[in-house]
Amino acid sequence: MTPPDLLWLSLTDLSWVVPLPVLVPLSAAGLALALWRHSKAQQIISVVALTVVLLASLTLLIAADQGPVVLDVGNWAAPVGIDLVADRLSTLMLTVSAAVTLCVLIYSLAQGLADGNRGTPVAIFHPTYLVLSAGVANAFLSGDLFNLYVGFEMLLAASYVLLTLGGTGERIRAGTIYVVVSLVSSMVFLLAIGLIYAATGTVNLAQLAIRLPEIDPGVQLVLQLLLLLAFGIKAAIFPLSAWLPDSYPTAPAPVTAVFAGLLTKVGVYAIIRTQTLLFPDGRADTLLMVAALLTMVVGILGAVAQNDIKRLVSFTLVSHIGYMIFGIALSSEQGLGASIFYVAHHITVQTALFLVVGLVERRGGSTSLDQLGGLAKLAPVLAVLFFVPAMNLAGIPPLSGFLGKAGLLQAGVADGGPLALTLVGAGVVTSLLTLYAIVKAWNKAFWQVAPVEPAPMRLPRAMVGSAASLVLLGVSITVVAGPMYDYTQRAAATLRDPDQYIVSVLPDRARGAGVSSEVAEDTPDSELPDEPVEEEDE
């Protein structure tokens, strides 16, 4: 092949871009750790690495709209090798998460500069934050159940370090609760992987989509419920969500923000992927609808009862996970597309709210609504920054929160079942109660007179700017809601037809037999196996 041909191939075949969101932050984490004495160098490395991740994600987002982009790690084809698969769903999640992690990083850098890095060991923060970013990307791109588990464990290790930064007793206690719950989830997930491998002989998602329907339906249901239990804990679905409101509010504002925006959504993503690809028969839909209903109602009632703004926003996070599960449980293209849209919207809005709450705590000196007040007069820009994502979260027209909820409610009405219609009603009530909780927080923190006026201070511009960037990102989803909703509907159509995913990962006999692409090219057809490995194993 001539050099021009190689250049054209590299420009048209974007499989080399697929591992960059994982490899770049991991490599940068190692470099940042090696330069632990040089905080400025660590900051530059982190910003550059996450910028590259964002650009690579945008590239894959465009490319995946024409079909999944697949990379065989080490040039070993599935199911023997590990695959990274960039389809519409994974690249949309990857792009939104990359934008969020970059904004939160800039916020944290500004906070560290303003505070002189008190209580934040910089040498630890940057490598850990980059590993967290790599774990998120690995989970979104994984085409293999065990590699998905690896992504979750990367998240667990990094998040525990970030959650306990500063070493205060409260953070250690919250971090201990978080890590115990996460380890239980990981053990359930690992047990499910072992049983799935014992039942099917593979952990590759594409091959599992072929083999799982062939095993006993009772065994299928057990495996499905184990995966839902593991992912339900990570996604904070009721009654598996009690750990979240106690863990998140204790962490520094940037850490809480990125946790709220991303970590629960990785669990939701895993539910979407496995339910549509591995268990498309919808046998657990009723269970998911009940879980969605309870998550909505219990979460928002918890938010209404709170008098601490951090805990209030944490409970709204739990509540709105219920909307996403509702869309998944409908098992329709319309519901699934609306759910994906709502996940993308919620990542930006919830992260922005937590960043702004961090600014509220900094300016007002507390997160207790009884001790806050008068911030609309003292910090009008901060008041606007809180108001916009808060209204977006509550689903006020014409913001993206309203559009996402409207799509979910329409899908529920189209379903027409008693449970689906009950969820439609619960969704409306939850939205109204969200508005009530947000208005209560607004009135106490920004409108009413403060019991004690906080000391004058100026908020760091970079912190305000990065929070404002995320608020604008949430608003921009409203501006591009039409094309984005069409994209999520196309993603849902692809998920509802798993053949496209299967063919992309296992397109021919050579790949299906686990032969690397180089071996396949050099081996005559007569020497390749007559039947795929899955046929021989049976």
Side-chain angles (χ1 to χ4, degrees), residues 128-129 131-133 152-165 171 174-175 178-179 182 243 248 251 255 258-259 263:
T128 309
Y129 190 80
V131 170
L132 181 77
S133 174
F152 276 127
E153 291 309 292
M154 291 168 67
L155 291 176
L156 171 61
S159 58
Y160 179 69
V161 174
L162 292 173
L163 195 62
T164 55
L165 282 178
R171 289 180 184 176
Y178 172 79
V179 78
S182 297
W243 60 271
Y248 283 12
V255 174
V258 78
F259 280 18
L263 297 196

Side-chain angles (χ1 to χ4, degrees), residues 296-316:
M296 283 184 192
V297 175
V298 175
I300 200 58
L301 291 177
V304 169
Q306 298 306 309
N307 209 35
D308 182 279
I309 194 168
K310 270 191 175 181
R311 287 183 62 84
L312 187 153
V313 177
S314 296
F315 272 101
T316 63

Side-chain angles (χ1 to χ4, degrees), residues 470-513:
L470 265 184
V471 171
L472 290 175
L473 181 60
V475 173
S476 69
I477 293 179
T478 304
V479 177
V480 298
M484 183 171 171
Y485 206 90
D486 290 342
Y487 192 94
T488 60
Q489 289 296 322
R490 292 197 298 276
T494 302
L495 291 170
R496 293 282 295 164
D497 179 19
D499 286 345
Q500 184 175 350
Y501 185 98
I502 295 170
V503 170
S504 297
V505 177
L506 304 170
D508 53 45
R509 183 177 60 189
R511 288 173 59 87

Side-chain angles (χ1 to χ4, degrees), residues 204-226:
N204 179 272
L205 290 175
Q207 196 172 35
L208 281 173
I210 299 172
R211 291 190 176 185
L212 277 172
E214 300 172 356
I215 67 175
D216 182 82
V219 176
Q220 283 186 56
L221 183 60
V222 170
L223 299 177
Q224 183 178 11
L225 293 178
L226 280 174

Side-chain angles (χ1 to χ4, degrees), residues 133-432:
S133 174
V136 170
N138 189 59
F140 286 150
L141 292 170
S142 178
D144 180 283
L145 267 185
F146 190 78
N147 195 37
L148 178 61
Y149 171 80
V150 171
F152 276 127
E153 291 309 292
M154 291 168 67
L155 291 176
L156 171 61
S159 58
Y160 179 69
V161 174
L162 292 173
L163 195 62
T164 55
L165 282 178
T168 64
E170 188 179 16
R171 289 180 184 176
I172 295 296
R173 180 191 62 80
T176 302
I177 294 172
Y178 172 79
V179 78
V180 168
V181 171
S182 297
L183 283 174
V184 170
S185 172
S186 297
M187 290 171 63
V188 174
F189 189 15
L190 194 58
L191 173 64
I193 292 173
L195 293 175
I196 287 172
Y197 186 79
T200 64
T202 185
V203 291
N204 179 272
L205 290 175
Q207 196 172 35
L208 281 173
I210 299 172
R211 291 190 176 185
L212 277 172
E214 300 172 356
I215 67 175
D216 182 82
V219 176
Q220 283 186 56
L221 183 60
V222 170
L223 299 177
Q224 183 178 11
L225 293 178
L226 280 174
L227 289 177
L228 284 176
L229 177 60
F231 300 148
I233 296 174
K234 296 182 184 298
I237 300 172
F238 184 85
L240 309 171
S241 57
W243 60 271
L244 190 150
D246 289 329
S247 300
Y248 283 12
T250 63
V255 174
T256 304
V258 78
F259 280 18
L262 293 181
L263 297 196
T264 52
K265 308 312 182 300
V266 176
V268 173
Y269 167 84
I271 292 174
I272 294 174
R273 179 67 71 191
T274 53
Q275 287 298 112
T276 56
L277 184 60
L278 306 186
F279 307 103
D281 55 6
R283 294 176 68 187
D285 286 351
T286 300
L287 175 63
L288 285 174
M289 283 192 180
V290 173
L293 176 63
L294 294 174
T295 304
M296 283 184 192
V297 175
V298 175
I300 200 58
L301 291 177
V304 169
Q306 298 306 309
N307 209 35
D308 182 279
I309 194 168
K310 270 191 175 181
R311 287 183 62 84
L312 187 153
V313 177
S314 296
F315 272 101
T316 63
L317 165 62
V318 173
S319 175
H320 286 248
I321 295 294
Y323 284 100
M324 306 168 201
I325 303 303
F326 175 29
I328 300 170
L330 289 173
S331 285
S332 66
E333 186 175 315
Q334 184 181 4
L336 193 56
S339 182
I340 296 169
F341 180 91
Y342 200 80
V343 171
H345 140 84
H346 196 261
I347 289 174
T348 60
V349 170
Q350 197 76 50
T351 307
L353 263 180
F354 272 102
L355 289 185
V356 175
V357 167
L359 294 174
V360 169
E361 181 181 15
R362 190 181 189 89
R363 183 64 185 86
S366 175
T367 58
S368 172
L369 293 175
D370 289 334
Q371 299 178 29
L372 292 170
L375 291 179
K377 180 179 178 181
L378 296 174
V381 173
L382 183 58
V384 173
L385 291 181
F386 181 86
F387 182 80
V388 173
M391 293 299 103
N392 204 343
L393 184 70
I396 300 301
L399 297 171
S400 57
F402 169 77
L403 299 175
K405 289 175 182 176
L408 288 167
L409 298 182
Q410 288 176 358
V413 171
D415 181 278
L419 195 50
L421 293 177
T422 302
L423 271 163
V424 169
V428 173
V429 172
T430 299
S431 190
L432 292 174

